[in-house]
Amino acid sequence: MTPKVVISASLWGTAVFTVSAVAATAFPDALAIPSLVIDLVLFLLGCLAFMRALLIAAGRSRRDEIDLPGLFFLSRSAPGAVRLRLLGAFAVQVVVAITTAAIRPYTALAFGVLVPTYGLGLCGLWAAKAGRFPPRAQ
């Protein structure tokens, strides 16, 4: 997955999650289960992205000084436009997840709080692949 594809996946995943969560909030009887499936798929993809990011970063750590803020929050490791897109998508996921779960507590919409794992995992994946880190001191 190229860095450009990671950004697109983050934006598309956020859009799908937002539409499904808002629709399920409005029509919980009909759309709670499809929304739950989307939430769990995005959570699983986020976990996979996290693992992949950590493996790639471990390989890069032999030559680069990789830190967690740079890896997952793109601090000093990504251009502003990339940070805006990836962290913006992550922020939207957090707000949508908390808001929809608060509106319909004790329903399948509560699983939406797992979705920001997707956004954060893709931030890490982008940084692990294309992030700029200082060279490791020998």
Side-chain angles (χ1 to χ4, degrees):
M1 186 180 275
T2 66
K4 192 173 186 176
V5 172
V6 170
I7 294 170
S8 293
S10 180
L11 298 175
W12 278 104
T14 301
V16 168
F17 166 63
T18 301
V19 169
S20 71
V22 170
T25 302
F27 305 103
D29 294 334
L31 298 175
I33 299 302
S35 178
L36 170 68
V37 170
I38 290 169
D39 295 347
L40 292 177
V41 166
L42 289 174
F43 174 66
L44 177 63
L45 291 173
C47 290
L48 293 172
F50 252 98
M51 288 187 288
R52 180 94 170 117
L54 288 173
L55 288 172
I56 294 170
R60 282 189 65 182
S61 70
R62 294 182 186 122
R63 64 182 188 280
D64 295 330
E65 192 71 40
I66 297 179
D67 59 356
L68 288 178
L71 184 61
F72 290 108
F73 294 104
L74 308 174
S75 175
R76 299 177 318 274
S77 65
V82 171
R83 287 182 57 188
L84 179 65
R85 285 182 179 94
L86 289 174
L87 292 177
F90 171 64
V92 168
Q93 292 167 15
V94 170
V95 170
V96 169
I98 292 172
T99 302
T100 56
I103 291 171
R104 299 269 184 208
Y106 311 112
T107 66
L109 287 169
F111 283 90
V113 299
L114 299 173
V115 171
T117 303
Y118 178 73
L120 201 56
L122 289 179
C123 285
L125 188 57
W126 187 94
K129 287 177 172 271
R132 293 184 181 207
F133 296 97
R136 189 171 186 77
Q138 298 295 336

